[in-house]
Amino acid sequence: MAFLYSYLPQRRAIDVGANRGDVTARLLRAGFEVYAFEPYPPVFEKLQERFLKQPGFHAFPYALGALNETRQFHLADDLTDEKTYDDSTFYNSLIPHSMSEGLVFKGSIPVTVKTLADLHQSDEMPCEVGLVKIDTEGFDLEVIKGMGEYRYPVVVAE
């Protein structure tokens, strides 16, 4: 990952749907400044604790999408006896969808959704970004729509 990313023109990355920060960790090790987005409060707290003292780490407690709005964030739960899915927060989503056997959505919470275009225009985040990683359990296209006229050298979507 570090070798491939060394060819990007900007050493800034956006991690949309960062969850606990596994991709963020790799990007930070590769020398990137990372803007991580995670809307689920308990996971956001863990993400912040994990990287709080890392230089170049910026965390945002909201989701990204096509519109600035408040949406319901659907919470996944592993109902299997053996807890097959380890960490069901990986399956939380802004869009309820079908899931594997044993996983269900169990409740929802309201979360703030913002667009990448507005974050750039408000200077909350720089415009010069080399990589955007999107893993939003079915909401990826909405994140891309929220880019507006902004373009990035590499966009990785689920």
Side-chain angles (χ1 to χ4, degrees), residues 18-45:
N19 198 273
R20 60 185 177 204
D22 294 342
V23 172
T24 291
R26 286 187 228 126
L27 290 165
L28 288 168
R29 278 194 304 272
F32 278 76
E33 181 176 7
V34 178
Y35 295 81
F37 293 84
E38 175 53 50
Y40 186 46
V43 175
F44 178 77
E45 288 174 22

PDB file of all heavy atoms in Angstrom, residues 18-45:
ATOM      1  N   ALA A  18     -14.646   5.109   8.274  1.00  0.00           N
ATOM      2  CA  ALA A  18     -13.363   4.680   8.844  1.00  0.00           C
ATOM      3  C   ALA A  18     -13.496   3.539   9.843  1.00  0.00           C
ATOM      4  O   ALA A  18     -12.553   2.781  10.050  1.00  0.00           O
ATOM      5  CB  ALA A  18     -12.668   5.869   9.508  1.00  0.00           C
ATOM      6  N   ASN A  19     -14.652   3.422  10.481  1.00  0.00           N
ATOM      7  CA  ASN A  19     -14.870   2.441  11.532  1.00  0.00           C
ATOM      8  C   ASN A  19     -13.751   2.544  12.557  1.00  0.00           C
ATOM      9  O   ASN A  19     -13.457   3.632  13.022  1.00  0.00           O
ATOM     10  CB  ASN A  19     -15.021   1.029  10.958  1.00  0.00           C
ATOM     11  CG  ASN A  19     -15.669   0.076  11.945  1.00  0.00           C
ATOM     12  OD1 ASN A  19     -14.999  -0.520  12.759  1.00  0.00           O
ATOM     13  ND2 ASN A  19     -16.983  -0.048  11.888  1.00  0.00           N
ATOM     14  N   ARG A  20     -13.086   1.458  12.897  1.00  0.00           N
ATOM     15  CA  ARG A  20     -12.064   1.529  13.960  1.00  0.00           C
ATOM     16  C   ARG A  20     -10.701   1.984  13.441  1.00  0.00           C
ATOM     17  O   ARG A  20      -9.756   2.107  14.211  1.00  0.00           O
ATOM     18  CB  ARG A  20     -11.959   0.201  14.691  1.00  0.00           C
ATOM     19  CG  ARG A  20     -11.574  -0.954  13.807  1.00  0.00           C
ATOM     20  CD  ARG A  20     -11.604  -2.247  14.582  1.00  0.00           C
ATOM     21  NE  ARG A  20     -11.299  -3.361  13.695  1.00  0.00           N
ATOM     22  CZ  ARG A  20     -11.669  -4.590  13.922  1.00  0.00           C
ATOM     23  NH1 ARG A  20     -12.349  -4.884  15.002  1.00  0.00           N
ATOM     24  NH2 ARG A  20     -11.349  -5.547  13.085  1.00  0.00           N
ATOM     25  N   GLY A  21     -10.582   2.182  12.121  1.00  0.00           N
ATOM     26  CA  GLY A  21      -9.380   2.816  11.589  1.00  0.00           C
ATOM     27  C   GLY A  21      -8.310   1.914  11.025  1.00  0.00           C
ATOM     28  O   GLY A  21      -7.149   2.319  10.967  1.00  0.00           O
ATOM     29  N   ASP A  22      -8.646   0.744  10.552  1.00  0.00           N
ATOM     30  CA  ASP A  22      -7.623  -0.144   9.999  1.00  0.00           C
ATOM     31  C   ASP A  22      -6.965   0.455   8.756  1.00  0.00           C
ATOM     32  O   ASP A  22      -5.739   0.419   8.613  1.00  0.00           O
ATOM     33  CB  ASP A  22      -8.202  -1.523   9.701  1.00  0.00           C
ATOM     34  CG  ASP A  22      -8.620  -2.261  10.979  1.00  0.00           C
ATOM     35  OD1 ASP A  22      -8.167  -1.864  12.072  1.00  0.00           O
ATOM     36  OD2 ASP A  22      -9.394  -3.222  10.874  1.00  0.00           O
ATOM     37  N   VAL A  23      -7.751   1.034   7.859  1.00  0.00           N
ATOM     38  CA  VAL A  23      -7.183   1.675   6.668  1.00  0.00           C
ATOM     39  C   VAL A  23      -6.473   2.965   7.063  1.00  0.00           C
ATOM     40  O   VAL A  23      -5.388   3.268   6.568  1.00  0.00           O
ATOM     41  CB  VAL A  23      -8.270   1.925   5.595  1.00  0.00           C
ATOM     42  CG1 VAL A  23      -7.731   2.768   4.444  1.00  0.00           C
ATOM     43  CG2 VAL A  23      -8.810   0.590   5.073  1.00  0.00           C
ATOM     44  N   THR A  24      -7.053   3.707   7.979  1.00  0.00           N
ATOM     45  CA  THR A  24      -6.415   4.930   8.483  1.00  0.00           C
ATOM     46  C   THR A  24      -5.017   4.619   9.008  1.00  0.00           C
ATOM     47  O   THR A  24      -4.061   5.347   8.723  1.00  0.00           O
ATOM     48  CB  THR A  24      -7.276   5.572   9.590  1.00  0.00           C
ATOM     49  OG1 THR A  24      -8.468   6.093   8.999  1.00  0.00           O
ATOM     50  CG2 THR A  24      -6.553   6.693  10.294  1.00  0.00           C
ATOM     51  N   ALA A  25      -4.877   3.551   9.758  1.00  0.00           N
ATOM     52  CA  ALA A  25      -3.570   3.167  10.319  1.00  0.00           C
ATOM     53  C   ALA A  25      -2.553   2.934   9.214  1.00  0.00           C
ATOM     54  O   ALA A  25      -1.414   3.411   9.295  1.00  0.00           O
ATOM     55  CB  ALA A  25      -3.709   1.919  11.191  1.00  0.00           C
ATOM     56  N   ARG A  26      -2.953   2.219   8.165  1.00  0.00           N
ATOM     57  CA  ARG A  26      -2.028   1.959   7.048  1.00  0.00           C
ATOM     58  C   ARG A  26      -1.644   3.243   6.341  1.00  0.00           C
ATOM     59  O   ARG A  26      -0.490   3.433   5.955  1.00  0.00           O
ATOM     60  CB  ARG A  26      -2.657   0.970   6.075  1.00  0.00           C
ATOM     61  CG  ARG A  26      -2.669  -0.438   6.620  1.00  0.00           C
ATOM     62  CD  ARG A  26      -3.147  -1.436   5.581  1.00  0.00           C
ATOM     63  NE  ARG A  26      -4.148  -2.270   6.242  1.00  0.00           N
ATOM     64  CZ  ARG A  26      -5.373  -2.477   5.811  1.00  0.00           C
ATOM     65  NH1 ARG A  26      -5.796  -1.952   4.701  1.00  0.00           N
ATOM     66  NH2 ARG A  26      -6.199  -3.232   6.487  1.00  0.00           N
ATOM     67  N   LEU A  27      -2.613   4.120   6.162  1.00  0.00           N
ATOM     68  CA  LEU A  27      -2.329   5.387   5.480  1.00  0.00           C
ATOM     69  C   LEU A  27      -1.395   6.264   6.315  1.00  0.00           C
ATOM     70  O   LEU A  27      -0.464   6.870   5.778  1.00  0.00           O
ATOM     71  CB  LEU A  27      -3.632   6.123   5.176  1.00  0.00           C
ATOM     72  CG  LEU A  27      -4.502   5.489   4.093  1.00  0.00           C
ATOM     73  CD1 LEU A  27      -5.906   6.074   4.118  1.00  0.00           C
ATOM     74  CD2 LEU A  27      -3.865   5.660   2.731  1.00  0.00           C
ATOM     75  N   LEU A  28      -1.619   6.324   7.611  1.00  0.00           N
ATOM     76  CA  LEU A  28      -0.733   7.105   8.481  1.00  0.00           C
ATOM     77  C   LEU A  28       0.693   6.547   8.456  1.00  0.00           C
ATOM     78  O   LEU A  28       1.660   7.304   8.372  1.00  0.00           O
ATOM     79  CB  LEU A  28      -1.274   7.142   9.912  1.00  0.00           C
ATOM     80  CG  LEU A  28      -2.518   8.006  10.134  1.00  0.00           C
ATOM     81  CD1 LEU A  28      -3.125   7.718  11.509  1.00  0.00           C
ATOM     82  CD2 LEU A  28      -2.207   9.482   9.972  1.00  0.00           C
ATOM     83  N   ARG A  29       0.816   5.210   8.486  1.00  0.00           N
ATOM     84  CA  ARG A  29       2.142   4.587   8.410  1.00  0.00           C
ATOM     85  C   ARG A  29       2.833   4.889   7.086  1.00  0.00           C
ATOM     86  O   ARG A  29       4.058   4.963   7.012  1.00  0.00           O
ATOM     87  CB  ARG A  29       2.043   3.073   8.609  1.00  0.00           C
ATOM     88  CG  ARG A  29       1.974   2.659  10.057  1.00  0.00           C
ATOM     89  CD  ARG A  29       2.229   1.173  10.252  1.00  0.00           C
ATOM     90  NE  ARG A  29       1.351   0.306   9.497  1.00  0.00           N
ATOM     91  CZ  ARG A  29       0.172  -0.144   9.907  1.00  0.00           C
ATOM     92  NH1 ARG A  29      -0.285   0.204  11.100  1.00  0.00           N
ATOM     93  NH2 ARG A  29      -0.554  -0.933   9.153  1.00  0.00           N
ATOM     94  N   ALA A  30       2.033   5.074   6.023  1.00  0.00           N
ATOM     95  CA  ALA A  30       2.591   5.374   4.698  1.00  0.00           C
ATOM     96  C   ALA A  30       2.915   6.861   4.550  1.00  0.00           C
ATOM     97  O   ALA A  30       3.357   7.290   3.488  1.00  0.00           O
ATOM     98  CB  ALA A  30       1.613   4.934   3.610  1.00  0.00           C
ATOM     99  N   GLY A  31       2.670   7.638   5.604  1.00  0.00           N
ATOM    100  CA  GLY A  31       3.028   9.052   5.585  1.00  0.00           C
ATOM    101  C   GLY A  31       1.936   9.996   5.131  1.00  0.00           C
ATOM    102  O   GLY A  31       2.203  11.157   4.811  1.00  0.00           O
ATOM    103  N   PHE A  32       0.702   9.534   5.122  1.00  0.00           N
ATOM    104  CA  PHE A  32      -0.420  10.374   4.712  1.00  0.00           C
ATOM    105  C   PHE A  32      -0.981  11.165   5.884  1.00  0.00           C
ATOM    106  O   PHE A  32      -0.946  10.714   7.025  1.00  0.00           O
ATOM    107  CB  PHE A  32      -1.561   9.525   4.130  1.00  0.00           C
ATOM    108  CG  PHE A  32      -1.369   9.163   2.697  1.00  0.00           C
ATOM    109  CD1 PHE A  32      -0.477   8.172   2.328  1.00  0.00           C
ATOM    110  CD2 PHE A  32      -2.070   9.814   1.705  1.00  0.00           C
ATOM    111  CE1 PHE A  32      -0.297   7.833   1.006  1.00  0.00           C
ATOM    112  CE2 PHE A  32      -1.898   9.486   0.374  1.00  0.00           C
ATOM    113  CZ  PHE A  32      -1.003   8.488   0.024  1.00  0.00           C
ATOM    114  N   GLU A  33      -1.516  12.318   5.575  1.00  0.00           N
ATOM    115  CA  GLU A  33      -2.386  13.050   6.487  1.00  0.00           C
ATOM    116  C   GLU A  33      -3.777  12.490   6.200  1.00  0.00           C
ATOM    117  O   GLU A  33      -4.182  12.409   5.038  1.00  0.00           O
ATOM    118  CB  GLU A  33      -2.324  14.545   6.177  1.00  0.00           C
ATOM    119  CG  GLU A  33      -3.165  15.401   7.072  1.00  0.00           C
ATOM    120  CD  GLU A  33      -2.993  16.886   6.788  1.00  0.00           C
ATOM    121  OE1 GLU A  33      -2.322  17.248   5.801  1.00  0.00           O
ATOM    122  OE2 GLU A  33      -3.547  17.678   7.546  1.00  0.00           O
ATOM    123  N   VAL A  34      -4.499  12.071   7.239  1.00  0.00           N
ATOM    124  CA  VAL A  34      -5.774  11.368   7.038  1.00  0.00           C
ATOM    125  C   VAL A  34      -6.927  12.129   7.669  1.00  0.00           C
ATOM    126  O   VAL A  34      -6.862  12.544   8.823  1.00  0.00           O
ATOM    127  CB  VAL A  34      -5.711   9.934   7.621  1.00  0.00           C
ATOM    128  CG1 VAL A  34      -7.056   9.225   7.454  1.00  0.00           C
ATOM    129  CG2 VAL A  34      -4.598   9.131   6.972  1.00  0.00           C
ATOM    130  N   TYR A  35      -8.000  12.269   6.889  1.00  0.00           N
ATOM    131  CA  TYR A  35      -9.268  12.850   7.328  1.00  0.00           C
ATOM    132  C   TYR A  35     -10.250  11.689   7.394  1.00  0.00           C
ATOM    133  O   TYR A  35     -10.687  11.185   6.362  1.00  0.00           O
ATOM    134  CB  TYR A  35      -9.728  13.936   6.357  1.00  0.00           C
ATOM    135  CG  TYR A  35      -8.776  15.103   6.340  1.00  0.00           C
ATOM    136  CD1 TYR A  35      -7.594  15.055   5.592  1.00  0.00           C
ATOM    137  CD2 TYR A  35      -9.022  16.234   7.103  1.00  0.00           C
ATOM    138  CE1 TYR A  35      -6.698  16.117   5.608  1.00  0.00           C
ATOM    139  CE2 TYR A  35      -8.131  17.297   7.118  1.00  0.00           C
ATOM    140  CZ  TYR A  35      -6.975  17.221   6.370  1.00  0.00           C
ATOM    141  OH  TYR A  35      -6.087  18.274   6.395  1.00  0.00           O
ATOM    142  N   ALA A  36     -10.559  11.237   8.621  1.00  0.00           N
ATOM    143  CA  ALA A  36     -11.375  10.041   8.819  1.00  0.00           C
ATOM    144  C   ALA A  36     -12.784  10.417   9.261  1.00  0.00           C
ATOM    145  O   ALA A  36     -12.969  11.252  10.145  1.00  0.00           O
ATOM    146  CB  ALA A  36     -10.716   9.143   9.866  1.00  0.00           C
ATOM    147  N   PHE A  37     -13.775   9.763   8.659  1.00  0.00           N
ATOM    148  CA  PHE A  37     -15.184  10.026   8.947  1.00  0.00           C
ATOM    149  C   PHE A  37     -15.839   8.757   9.477  1.00  0.00           C
ATOM    150  O   PHE A  37     -15.793   7.713   8.829  1.00  0.00           O
ATOM    151  CB  PHE A  37     -15.909  10.492   7.679  1.00  0.00           C
ATOM    152  CG  PHE A  37     -15.430  11.828   7.205  1.00  0.00           C
ATOM    153  CD1 PHE A  37     -14.299  11.927   6.405  1.00  0.00           C
ATOM    154  CD2 PHE A  37     -16.077  12.986   7.588  1.00  0.00           C
ATOM    155  CE1 PHE A  37     -13.828  13.161   5.985  1.00  0.00           C
ATOM    156  CE2 PHE A  37     -15.617  14.225   7.180  1.00  0.00           C
ATOM    157  CZ  PHE A  37     -14.492  14.310   6.379  1.00  0.00           C
ATOM    158  N   GLU A  38     -16.461   8.874  10.647  1.00  0.00           N
ATOM    159  CA  GLU A  38     -17.171   7.756  11.272  1.00  0.00           C
ATOM    160  C   GLU A  38     -18.359   8.311  12.052  1.00  0.00           C
ATOM    161  O   GLU A  38     -18.170   8.998  13.053  1.00  0.00           O
ATOM    162  CB  GLU A  38     -16.244   6.972  12.197  1.00  0.00           C
ATOM    163  CG  GLU A  38     -16.928   5.870  12.970  1.00  0.00           C
ATOM    164  CD  GLU A  38     -17.719   4.904  12.105  1.00  0.00           C
ATOM    165  OE1 GLU A  38     -17.184   4.400  11.095  1.00  0.00           O
ATOM    166  OE2 GLU A  38     -18.908   4.666  12.430  1.00  0.00           O
ATOM    167  N   PRO A  39     -19.598   8.012  11.616  1.00  0.00           N
ATOM    168  CA  PRO A  39     -20.773   8.620  12.249  1.00  0.00           C
ATOM    169  C   PRO A  39     -21.291   7.939  13.517  1.00  0.00           C
ATOM    170  O   PRO A  39     -22.066   8.542  14.253  1.00  0.00           O
ATOM    171  CB  PRO A  39     -21.831   8.544  11.149  1.00  0.00           C
ATOM    172  CG  PRO A  39     -21.451   7.330  10.369  1.00  0.00           C
ATOM    173  CD  PRO A  39     -19.944   7.287  10.392  1.00  0.00           C
ATOM    174  N   TYR A  40     -20.894   6.703  13.781  1.00  0.00           N
ATOM    175  CA  TYR A  40     -21.448   5.984  14.924  1.00  0.00           C
ATOM    176  C   TYR A  40     -20.655   6.350  16.191  1.00  0.00           C
ATOM    177  O   TYR A  40     -19.476   6.011  16.303  1.00  0.00           O
ATOM    178  CB  TYR A  40     -21.418   4.485  14.670  1.00  0.00           C
ATOM    179  CG  TYR A  40     -22.101   3.655  15.725  1.00  0.00           C
ATOM    180  CD1 TYR A  40     -23.359   4.011  16.211  1.00  0.00           C
ATOM    181  CD2 TYR A  40     -21.502   2.512  16.222  1.00  0.00           C
ATOM    182  CE1 TYR A  40     -23.986   3.246  17.177  1.00  0.00           C
ATOM    183  CE2 TYR A  40     -22.133   1.740  17.190  1.00  0.00           C
ATOM    184  CZ  TYR A  40     -23.372   2.118  17.657  1.00  0.00           C
ATOM    185  OH  TYR A  40     -23.999   1.364  18.620  1.00  0.00           O
ATOM    186  N   PRO A  41     -21.279   7.073  17.138  1.00  0.00           N
ATOM    187  CA  PRO A  41     -20.539   7.622  18.281  1.00  0.00           C
ATOM    188  C   PRO A  41     -19.630   6.653  19.045  1.00  0.00           C
ATOM    189  O   PRO A  41     -18.470   6.997  19.305  1.00  0.00           O
ATOM    190  CB  PRO A  41     -21.639   8.209  19.172  1.00  0.00           C
ATOM    191  CG  PRO A  41     -22.726   8.578  18.208  1.00  0.00           C
ATOM    192  CD  PRO A  41     -22.699   7.487  17.166  1.00  0.00           C
ATOM    193  N   PRO A  42     -20.067   5.437  19.408  1.00  0.00           N
ATOM    194  CA  PRO A  42     -19.152   4.562  20.148  1.00  0.00           C
ATOM    195  C   PRO A  42     -17.900   4.186  19.337  1.00  0.00           C
ATOM    196  O   PRO A  42     -16.803   4.106  19.884  1.00  0.00           O
ATOM    197  CB  PRO A  42     -19.989   3.311  20.452  1.00  0.00           C
ATOM    198  CG  PRO A  42     -21.402   3.759  20.361  1.00  0.00           C
ATOM    199  CD  PRO A  42     -21.420   4.848  19.316  1.00  0.00           C
ATOM    200  N   VAL A  43     -18.056   3.985  18.052  1.00  0.00           N
ATOM    201  CA  VAL A  43     -16.912   3.634  17.203  1.00  0.00           C
ATOM    202  C   VAL A  43     -16.054   4.873  16.957  1.00  0.00           C
ATOM    203  O   VAL A  43     -14.821   4.788  16.942  1.00  0.00           O
ATOM    204  CB  VAL A  43     -17.377   2.984  15.875  1.00  0.00           C
ATOM    205  CG1 VAL A  43     -16.204   2.734  14.950  1.00  0.00           C
ATOM    206  CG2 VAL A  43     -18.120   1.684  16.154  1.00  0.00           C
ATOM    207  N   PHE A  44     -16.680   6.027  16.789  1.00  0.00           N
ATOM    208  CA  PHE A  44     -15.922   7.265  16.614  1.00  0.00           C
ATOM    209  C   PHE A  44     -15.009   7.511  17.812  1.00  0.00           C
ATOM    210  O   PHE A  44     -13.846   7.896  17.646  1.00  0.00           O
ATOM    211  CB  PHE A  44     -16.862   8.460  16.411  1.00  0.00           C
ATOM    212  CG  PHE A  44     -16.134   9.763  16.282  1.00  0.00           C
ATOM    213  CD1 PHE A  44     -15.488  10.099  15.096  1.00  0.00           C
ATOM    214  CD2 PHE A  44     -16.068  10.636  17.353  1.00  0.00           C
ATOM    215  CE1 PHE A  44     -14.792  11.295  14.991  1.00  0.00           C
ATOM    216  CE2 PHE A  44     -15.374  11.834  17.251  1.00  0.00           C
ATOM    217  CZ  PHE A  44     -14.736  12.160  16.066  1.00  0.00           C
ATOM    218  N   GLU A  45     -15.524   7.275  19.018  1.00  0.00           N
ATOM    219  CA  GLU A  45     -14.709   7.466  20.228  1.00  0.00           C
ATOM    220  C   GLU A  45     -13.485   6.552  20.210  1.00  0.00           C
ATOM    221  O   GLU A  45     -12.377   6.972  20.538  1.00  0.00           O
ATOM    222  CB  GLU A  45     -15.547   7.209  21.477  1.00  0.00           C
ATOM    223  CG  GLU A  45     -16.561   8.300  21.753  1.00  0.00           C
ATOM    224  CD  GLU A  45     -17.483   7.957  22.918  1.00  0.00           C
ATOM    225  OE1 GLU A  45     -17.107   7.105  23.770  1.00  0.00           O
ATOM    226  OE2 GLU A  45     -18.585   8.534  22.963  1.00  0.00           O
TER     227      GLU A  45
END
